Amino acid sequence: MTMTDAESVAPKVEPTGTSADGTFLRLENVHKRFGKLHVLRGVNMEVAKGEVVCVIGPSGSGKSTLLRCINLLEPPEEGNVILEGKNLCAVDPRADEDEEGVDYVRRRVGIVFQQFNLFPHKTALENVTLGPEKVLGRSSSEVRPEAEALLGRVGLADKINEYPDRLSGGQQQRVAIARALAMDPHVILFDEVTSALDPELVKEVLDVMRELASEGMTMVVVTHEMGFAREVASQVVFMDAGVVVEHGKPADVLENPKEERTKRFLGLVLEH
Amino acid sequence: MDFIVDYYFNWGIIKDSFDVVLDGFVFTIKLSIVSGVLSLIWGLVLAVLRQLPGRALAPVRWITIGYIDVFRGIPALLVLFLVSGFLAAGQTDGTIPEWLGLPTWFGQPTWFWYGVIGLTLTYGAYMAEVYRAGIEAVPGGQMEAARSIGMSHGQAMRFVIVPQAVRTVIPPLLNDFIALMKDTSLVFAIGGAEVIDAGFDIQSDTFNGSAFILGAVFYLLITIPLARLVDVLITRQQEKTRRGGEPADSTETRPPSTPPGMVGA
């Protein structure tokens, strides 16, 4: 995995369309603005198959926006997102949504949200089966045992028929992970998935994520859990003000940061 | 004083006119149910059209918004006259076939269907606004979650957004239904033989308003329970929202901190 600091004279990367080196996921010079707010200022990043990339950084640094750009919930305005050889941004910029690209990315990329976003009118099981049944058109007799197995894997075998409002935050988040897994994604994005949880519920969610990582799932994890990043990540990416400031092995970035901004951030979060 | 009591509560007239007024009220009920169901459907169609995404579909959104603005902004009676006059004149002219110009579907009289069309056009617009409020009240994360597991906008609306929206808007939709039911009396103006028509005939014959009082009682027998039902539903919803605001009984349902399925896995 290589990453270049984007602030250094925006390297105008050729819009490739395919990644010759077979990189699983590559972001090239990704920009995103919300009105006048320039949230992403040219992010470059590469993720290899099976990697766990933890993205850390102060709030407002663009971490969540970056994740949302990867699965086109927020289509980037500039730059390329190349997933398994297909450039998701190679579309008419005036189009509202590139349905083909969206379809491609949503079938390969799962996402788990900070606020869980479970469907409250569906049981835990129905939350998991809805995608496979309605999007992939599979029969419920086929999908149901798989969904039950997935819920078992996240430790909720006894909760499959509960509605989300009967589940704790940690349980809801584990259902959300099972829901993402049910679509058989090639990579899962985690958007501060433990930030909305009571402290005592954090571990059960992180344990599920550790397990996924150990099984070789490719993961991009935006997190404030430094312990998790140190232990599980293959790469840690530090973002600030819309750019990647520093990246590398967790030991390097977290223990011996080179950049001043990284040092300051780590000083603040590790102090308390 | 005697005159007032006699004018409104002449038991003889009430007894004699009971069957006629009841017949009229049966039409009121039929008209309310048919128009109500069609308005519910038409309103949902309008609300969904109004939420269609993308630049290409902007004209559809504008037309829908224009329609809703117009039909919410003009009296239902005016719509009834526009519809009945147009269909009748078009049929005479030969532009509109008789089955549509002078409809007698399911054995119901023509004025009945004119009323259904006019009220559905108007109340569909009202109900579209109610649905819209419900759709917009569904948190944005729901659409994102639905899209993130690969659903199209249409699938997300159908399986995720609209089912949640409809639950929250049942009370206001019932309120609109009550208003619709009262507005069915407007078909009197296009020759409808409903409660007002029955009461009006009797009033003309007897110079007595008791038949109207009977009609009012019939209305209230339906509208008051419906209004109470709306109250109950709203209270129930509020209680649910209040419960939902708390961390869902985290102490009760929380498993041991390590998910059992993951132990030693």
Side-chain angles (χ1 to χ4, degrees), chain B residues 131-179:
Chain B
Y131 283 120
R132 176 166 78 116
I135 288 170
E136 286 177 354
V138 175
Q142 290 291 311
M143 177 58 92
E144 289 190 344
R147 299 304 301 265
S148 78
I149 55 169
M151 287 191 185
S152 65
H153 177 88
Q155 286 176 321
M157 288 298 274
R158 180 165 157 217
F159 299 116
V160 175
I161 307 297
V162 169
Q164 292 183 59
V166 166
R167 266 158 235 229
T168 61
V169 298
I170 288 170
L173 286 176
L174 269 178
N175 272 332
D176 273 359
F177 179 77
I178 294 171

Short mmCIF file of all heavy atoms in Angstrom, two decimals, chain B residues 131-179:
data_model
loop_
_atom_site.label_atom_id
_atom_site.label_comp_id
_atom_site.label_asym_id
_atom_site.label_seq_id
_atom_site.Cartn_x
_atom_site.Cartn_y
_atom_site.Cartn_z
N TYR B 131 -48.59 12.59 3.36
CA TYR B 131 -47.57 11.56 3.09
C TYR B 131 -46.19 12.19 3.01
O TYR B 131 -45.20 11.65 3.49
CB TYR B 131 -47.85 10.87 1.76
CG TYR B 131 -48.96 9.84 1.78
CD1 TYR B 131 -50.08 9.99 0.98
CD2 TYR B 131 -48.86 8.70 2.57
CE1 TYR B 131 -51.09 9.05 0.97
CE2 TYR B 131 -49.87 7.75 2.57
CZ TYR B 131 -50.99 7.93 1.76
OH TYR B 131 -51.97 7.00 1.75
N ARG B 132 -46.11 13.34 2.34
CA ARG B 132 -44.81 13.99 2.18
C ARG B 132 -44.18 14.28 3.54
O ARG B 132 -43.01 14.02 3.77
CB ARG B 132 -44.95 15.29 1.40
CG ARG B 132 -43.62 16.04 1.32
CD ARG B 132 -43.67 17.13 0.28
NE ARG B 132 -44.36 18.30 0.76
CZ ARG B 132 -43.77 19.48 0.93
NH1 ARG B 132 -42.50 19.62 0.66
NH2 ARG B 132 -44.46 20.51 1.35
N ALA B 133 -45.01 14.80 4.46
CA ALA B 133 -44.50 15.09 5.80
C ALA B 133 -43.97 13.80 6.43
O ALA B 133 -42.91 13.80 7.06
CB ALA B 133 -45.61 15.69 6.66
N GLY B 134 -44.70 12.70 6.24
CA GLY B 134 -44.26 11.42 6.80
C GLY B 134 -42.97 10.94 6.17
O GLY B 134 -42.07 10.47 6.86
N ILE B 135 -42.86 11.07 4.85
CA ILE B 135 -41.66 10.61 4.15
C ILE B 135 -40.46 11.45 4.59
O ILE B 135 -39.38 10.92 4.86
CB ILE B 135 -41.86 10.72 2.62
CG1 ILE B 135 -42.84 9.64 2.15
CG2 ILE B 135 -40.53 10.59 1.88
CD1 ILE B 135 -43.30 9.79 0.71
N GLU B 136 -40.69 12.75 4.71
CA GLU B 136 -39.56 13.61 5.08
C GLU B 136 -39.16 13.42 6.54
O GLU B 136 -38.04 13.75 6.93
CB GLU B 136 -39.92 15.08 4.81
CG GLU B 136 -39.90 15.37 3.31
CD GLU B 136 -40.32 16.79 2.97
OE1 GLU B 136 -40.73 17.52 3.89
OE2 GLU B 136 -40.25 17.13 1.78
N ALA B 137 -40.09 12.88 7.36
CA ALA B 137 -39.77 12.67 8.77
C ALA B 137 -38.94 11.40 8.99
O ALA B 137 -38.39 11.20 10.06
CB ALA B 137 -41.05 12.61 9.60
N VAL B 138 -38.87 10.53 7.97
CA VAL B 138 -38.04 9.34 8.11
C VAL B 138 -36.57 9.79 8.04
O VAL B 138 -36.19 10.49 7.11
CB VAL B 138 -38.33 8.32 6.98
CG1 VAL B 138 -37.38 7.14 7.06
CG2 VAL B 138 -39.78 7.85 7.08
N PRO B 139 -35.75 9.42 9.04
CA PRO B 139 -34.37 9.91 9.06
C PRO B 139 -33.62 9.60 7.77
O PRO B 139 -33.81 8.53 7.17
CB PRO B 139 -33.75 9.14 10.24
CG PRO B 139 -34.89 8.73 11.08
CD PRO B 139 -36.06 8.54 10.16
N GLY B 140 -32.77 10.52 7.35
CA GLY B 140 -32.01 10.35 6.11
C GLY B 140 -31.15 9.10 6.09
O GLY B 140 -30.90 8.53 5.03
N GLY B 141 -30.73 8.67 7.28
CA GLY B 141 -29.91 7.47 7.37
C GLY B 141 -30.62 6.23 6.85
O GLY B 141 -29.97 5.27 6.43
N GLN B 142 -31.95 6.24 6.86
CA GLN B 142 -32.70 5.08 6.37
C GLN B 142 -32.52 4.92 4.87
O GLN B 142 -32.31 3.81 4.38
CB GLN B 142 -34.19 5.24 6.72
CG GLN B 142 -34.46 5.10 8.20
CD GLN B 142 -34.24 3.70 8.68
OE1 GLN B 142 -34.72 2.75 8.11
NE2 GLN B 142 -33.46 3.56 9.75
N MET B 143 -32.63 6.02 4.13
CA MET B 143 -32.42 5.95 2.69
C MET B 143 -30.98 5.54 2.40
O MET B 143 -30.73 4.69 1.54
CB MET B 143 -32.75 7.31 2.06
CG MET B 143 -32.50 7.40 0.56
SD MET B 143 -33.42 6.20 -0.45
CE MET B 143 -34.90 7.10 -0.86
N GLU B 144 -30.03 6.10 3.15
CA GLU B 144 -28.62 5.75 2.93
C GLU B 144 -28.38 4.28 3.19
O GLU B 144 -27.68 3.61 2.43
CB GLU B 144 -27.73 6.60 3.84
CG GLU B 144 -27.67 8.05 3.43
CD GLU B 144 -26.60 8.80 4.18
OE1 GLU B 144 -26.13 8.28 5.21
OE2 GLU B 144 -26.25 9.90 3.73
N ALA B 145 -28.96 3.78 4.30
CA ALA B 145 -28.76 2.37 4.63
C ALA B 145 -29.35 1.49 3.54
O ALA B 145 -28.76 0.50 3.12
CB ALA B 145 -29.39 2.05 5.98
N ALA B 146 -30.53 1.88 3.05
CA ALA B 146 -31.18 1.09 2.00
C ALA B 146 -30.35 1.11 0.72
O ALA B 146 -30.11 0.07 0.09
CB ALA B 146 -32.58 1.61 1.74
N ARG B 147 -29.88 2.32 0.35
CA ARG B 147 -29.07 2.41 -0.87
C ARG B 147 -27.76 1.66 -0.70
O ARG B 147 -27.23 1.10 -1.65
CB ARG B 147 -28.78 3.87 -1.22
CG ARG B 147 -30.01 4.74 -1.51
CD ARG B 147 -30.88 4.20 -2.61
NE ARG B 147 -30.21 4.05 -3.89
CZ ARG B 147 -30.24 4.95 -4.86
NH1 ARG B 147 -30.91 6.05 -4.71
NH2 ARG B 147 -29.61 4.74 -5.99
N SER B 148 -27.21 1.66 0.54
CA SER B 148 -25.90 1.05 0.74
C SER B 148 -25.94 -0.47 0.61
O SER B 148 -24.92 -1.09 0.40
CB SER B 148 -25.32 1.45 2.09
OG SER B 148 -25.91 0.69 3.12
N ILE B 149 -27.13 -1.08 0.77
CA ILE B 149 -27.19 -2.52 0.51
C ILE B 149 -27.69 -2.77 -0.91
O ILE B 149 -28.16 -3.85 -1.23
CB ILE B 149 -28.05 -3.29 1.55
CG1 ILE B 149 -29.45 -2.72 1.66
CG2 ILE B 149 -27.37 -3.32 2.90
CD1 ILE B 149 -30.39 -3.62 2.48
N GLY B 150 -27.58 -1.75 -1.75
CA GLY B 150 -27.78 -1.96 -3.18
C GLY B 150 -29.18 -1.68 -3.70
O GLY B 150 -29.46 -1.90 -4.87
N MET B 151 -30.07 -1.19 -2.84
CA MET B 151 -31.42 -0.92 -3.33
C MET B 151 -31.44 0.30 -4.25
O MET B 151 -30.69 1.25 -4.05
CB MET B 151 -32.36 -0.64 -2.16
CG MET B 151 -32.71 -1.87 -1.37
SD MET B 151 -34.05 -1.49 -0.24
CE MET B 151 -34.15 -3.03 0.63
N SER B 152 -32.33 0.25 -5.24
CA SER B 152 -32.57 1.43 -6.06
C SER B 152 -33.42 2.41 -5.24
O SER B 152 -33.94 2.05 -4.18
CB SER B 152 -33.33 1.03 -7.32
OG SER B 152 -34.61 0.55 -6.96
N HIS B 153 -33.54 3.64 -5.74
CA HIS B 153 -34.39 4.61 -5.05
C HIS B 153 -35.80 4.04 -4.88
O HIS B 153 -36.41 4.13 -3.80
CB HIS B 153 -34.44 5.92 -5.83
CG HIS B 153 -35.34 6.95 -5.22
ND1 HIS B 153 -34.92 7.83 -4.26
CD2 HIS B 153 -36.66 7.21 -5.41
CE1 HIS B 153 -35.94 8.59 -3.90
NE2 HIS B 153 -37.00 8.24 -4.58
N GLY B 154 -36.32 3.44 -5.94
CA GLY B 154 -37.69 2.90 -5.90
C GLY B 154 -37.83 1.80 -4.86
O GLY B 154 -38.80 1.77 -4.10
N GLN B 155 -36.85 0.89 -4.82
CA GLN B 155 -36.91 -0.19 -3.83
C GLN B 155 -36.82 0.37 -2.41
O GLN B 155 -37.53 -0.07 -1.52
CB GLN B 155 -35.75 -1.17 -4.06
CG GLN B 155 -35.94 -2.07 -5.26
CD GLN B 155 -34.72 -2.94 -5.50
OE1 GLN B 155 -33.58 -2.50 -5.34
NE2 GLN B 155 -34.95 -4.18 -5.90
N ALA B 156 -35.94 1.36 -2.23
CA ALA B 156 -35.79 1.94 -0.90
C ALA B 156 -37.10 2.60 -0.46
O ALA B 156 -37.52 2.45 0.69
CB ALA B 156 -34.66 2.97 -0.90
N MET B 157 -37.76 3.32 -1.38
CA MET B 157 -39.04 3.93 -1.04
C MET B 157 -40.05 2.85 -0.67
O MET B 157 -40.75 2.95 0.33
CB MET B 157 -39.58 4.74 -2.23
CG MET B 157 -38.84 6.02 -2.51
SD MET B 157 -38.91 7.21 -1.15
CE MET B 157 -40.44 8.04 -1.49
N ARG B 158 -40.10 1.80 -1.48
CA ARG B 158 -41.14 0.80 -1.32
C ARG B 158 -40.95 -0.05 -0.07
O ARG B 158 -41.91 -0.32 0.66
CB ARG B 158 -41.15 -0.09 -2.58
CG ARG B 158 -42.18 -1.16 -2.53
CD ARG B 158 -42.43 -1.77 -3.90
NE ARG B 158 -42.98 -3.11 -3.73
CZ ARG B 158 -42.68 -4.13 -4.52
NH1 ARG B 158 -41.87 -3.95 -5.54
NH2 ARG B 158 -43.21 -5.30 -4.31
N PHE B 159 -39.73 -0.47 0.20
CA PHE B 159 -39.53 -1.42 1.30
C PHE B 159 -39.10 -0.76 2.60
O PHE B 159 -39.22 -1.36 3.66
CB PHE B 159 -38.48 -2.47 0.90
CG PHE B 159 -38.88 -3.28 -0.30
CD1 PHE B 159 -38.14 -3.22 -1.47
CD2 PHE B 159 -40.01 -4.08 -0.26
CE1 PHE B 159 -38.51 -3.97 -2.58
CE2 PHE B 159 -40.40 -4.82 -1.36
CZ PHE B 159 -39.65 -4.77 -2.53
N VAL B 160 -38.56 0.45 2.52
CA VAL B 160 -37.99 1.05 3.73
C VAL B 160 -38.67 2.37 4.11
O VAL B 160 -39.15 2.52 5.24
CB VAL B 160 -36.46 1.28 3.55
CG1 VAL B 160 -35.88 2.00 4.75
CG2 VAL B 160 -35.75 -0.05 3.33
N ILE B 161 -38.76 3.31 3.18
CA ILE B 161 -39.21 4.65 3.54
C ILE B 161 -40.73 4.70 3.71
O ILE B 161 -41.24 5.08 4.77
CB ILE B 161 -38.76 5.69 2.49
CG1 ILE B 161 -37.25 5.59 2.24
CG2 ILE B 161 -39.16 7.09 2.92
CD1 ILE B 161 -36.38 5.90 3.42
N VAL B 162 -41.46 4.31 2.67
CA VAL B 162 -42.92 4.45 2.72
C VAL B 162 -43.56 3.63 3.85
O VAL B 162 -44.42 4.15 4.57
CB VAL B 162 -43.55 4.14 1.33
CG1 VAL B 162 -45.06 4.02 1.43
CG2 VAL B 162 -43.17 5.22 0.33
N PRO B 163 -43.13 2.38 4.08
CA PRO B 163 -43.74 1.65 5.20
C PRO B 163 -43.58 2.37 6.54
O PRO B 163 -44.48 2.35 7.37
CB PRO B 163 -42.98 0.31 5.21
CG PRO B 163 -42.49 0.14 3.83
CD PRO B 163 -42.20 1.52 3.31
N GLN B 164 -42.43 3.02 6.74
CA GLN B 164 -42.24 3.77 7.99
C GLN B 164 -43.06 5.05 7.99
O GLN B 164 -43.64 5.44 9.00
CB GLN B 164 -40.77 4.13 8.18
CG GLN B 164 -39.89 2.93 8.45
CD GLN B 164 -38.45 3.36 8.70
OE1 GLN B 164 -38.17 4.13 9.61
NE2 GLN B 164 -37.54 2.88 7.88
N ALA B 165 -43.10 5.71 6.83
CA ALA B 165 -43.81 6.99 6.73
C ALA B 165 -45.30 6.79 6.98
O ALA B 165 -45.93 7.54 7.73
CB ALA B 165 -43.59 7.61 5.36
N VAL B 166 -45.87 5.73 6.39
CA VAL B 166 -47.31 5.52 6.48
C VAL B 166 -47.74 5.34 7.93
O VAL B 166 -48.76 5.86 8.36
CB VAL B 166 -47.72 4.31 5.61
CG1 VAL B 166 -49.12 3.86 5.95
CG2 VAL B 166 -47.62 4.68 4.14
N ARG B 167 -46.92 4.61 8.71
CA ARG B 167 -47.26 4.41 10.12
C ARG B 167 -47.44 5.73 10.85
O ARG B 167 -48.35 5.89 11.65
CB ARG B 167 -46.16 3.61 10.81
CG ARG B 167 -46.44 2.13 10.82
CD ARG B 167 -45.15 1.36 11.00
NE ARG B 167 -45.03 0.42 9.90
CZ ARG B 167 -44.75 -0.86 10.05
NH1 ARG B 167 -44.52 -1.34 11.25
NH2 ARG B 167 -44.70 -1.67 9.02
N THR B 168 -46.54 6.65 10.59
CA THR B 168 -46.60 7.90 11.35
C THR B 168 -47.72 8.81 10.89
O THR B 168 -48.13 9.69 11.63
CB THR B 168 -45.27 8.68 11.26
OG1 THR B 168 -45.03 9.00 9.89
CG2 THR B 168 -44.12 7.86 11.79
N VAL B 169 -48.21 8.63 9.67
CA VAL B 169 -49.21 9.58 9.15
C VAL B 169 -50.63 9.05 9.21
O VAL B 169 -51.55 9.69 8.69
CB VAL B 169 -48.88 10.04 7.71
CG1 VAL B 169 -47.55 10.77 7.69
CG2 VAL B 169 -48.90 8.90 6.73
N ILE B 170 -50.84 7.89 9.82
CA ILE B 170 -52.21 7.37 9.90
C ILE B 170 -53.15 8.37 10.60
O ILE B 170 -54.23 8.65 10.08
CB ILE B 170 -52.24 5.97 10.55
CG1 ILE B 170 -51.65 4.95 9.56
CG2 ILE B 170 -53.65 5.57 10.92
CD1 ILE B 170 -51.41 3.58 10.16
N PRO B 171 -52.76 8.94 11.75
CA PRO B 171 -53.69 9.90 12.38
C PRO B 171 -54.03 11.11 11.49
O PRO B 171 -55.23 11.40 11.31
CB PRO B 171 -52.95 10.32 13.66
CG PRO B 171 -52.03 9.20 13.94
CD PRO B 171 -51.61 8.65 12.62
N PRO B 172 -53.05 11.82 10.92
CA PRO B 172 -53.44 12.93 10.05
C PRO B 172 -54.23 12.50 8.82
O PRO B 172 -55.11 13.25 8.35
CB PRO B 172 -52.11 13.59 9.65
CG PRO B 172 -51.04 12.65 10.04
CD PRO B 172 -51.59 11.80 11.13
N LEU B 173 -53.96 11.30 8.30
CA LEU B 173 -54.75 10.83 7.17
C LEU B 173 -56.20 10.61 7.59
O LEU B 173 -57.14 10.92 6.84
CB LEU B 173 -54.17 9.52 6.60
CG LEU B 173 -52.88 9.63 5.79
CD1 LEU B 173 -52.39 8.25 5.39
CD2 LEU B 173 -53.08 10.49 4.55
N LEU B 174 -56.39 10.08 8.82
CA LEU B 174 -57.76 9.90 9.32
C LEU B 174 -58.46 11.24 9.48
O LEU B 174 -59.65 11.37 9.19
CB LEU B 174 -57.73 9.17 10.67
CG LEU B 174 -57.81 7.65 10.61
CD1 LEU B 174 -57.71 7.07 12.01
CD2 LEU B 174 -59.11 7.21 9.96
N ASN B 175 -57.71 12.24 9.92
CA ASN B 175 -58.29 13.59 10.01
C ASN B 175 -58.77 14.08 8.65
O ASN B 175 -59.85 14.64 8.52
CB ASN B 175 -57.26 14.57 10.57
CG ASN B 175 -57.29 14.62 12.08
OD1 ASN B 175 -58.33 14.37 12.68
ND2 ASN B 175 -56.16 14.92 12.68
N ASP B 176 -57.93 13.85 7.64
CA ASP B 176 -58.34 14.24 6.28
C ASP B 176 -59.57 13.45 5.84
O ASP B 176 -60.43 13.97 5.13
CB ASP B 176 -57.19 14.01 5.29
CG ASP B 176 -56.26 15.21 5.22
OD1 ASP B 176 -56.53 16.21 5.92
OD2 ASP B 176 -55.27 15.16 4.46
N PHE B 177 -59.64 12.19 6.29
CA PHE B 177 -60.79 11.38 5.92
C PHE B 177 -62.07 11.94 6.54
O PHE B 177 -63.12 11.97 5.90
CB PHE B 177 -60.59 9.93 6.35
CG PHE B 177 -61.77 9.05 6.02
CD1 PHE B 177 -61.97 8.62 4.73
CD2 PHE B 177 -62.68 8.69 7.00
CE1 PHE B 177 -63.07 7.84 4.40
CE2 PHE B 177 -63.78 7.91 6.69
CZ PHE B 177 -63.98 7.48 5.38
N ILE B 178 -61.95 12.41 7.78
CA ILE B 178 -63.12 13.02 8.42
C ILE B 178 -63.56 14.25 7.64
O ILE B 178 -64.75 14.45 7.36
CB ILE B 178 -62.80 13.39 9.89
CG1 ILE B 178 -62.55 12.12 10.72
CG2 ILE B 178 -63.93 14.22 10.51
CD1 ILE B 178 -62.03 12.39 12.12
N ALA B 179 -62.59 15.07 7.24
CA ALA B 179 -62.92 16.26 6.46
C ALA B 179 -63.54 15.87 5.12
O ALA B 179 -64.51 16.49 4.66
CB ALA B 179 -61.65 17.08 6.23
#
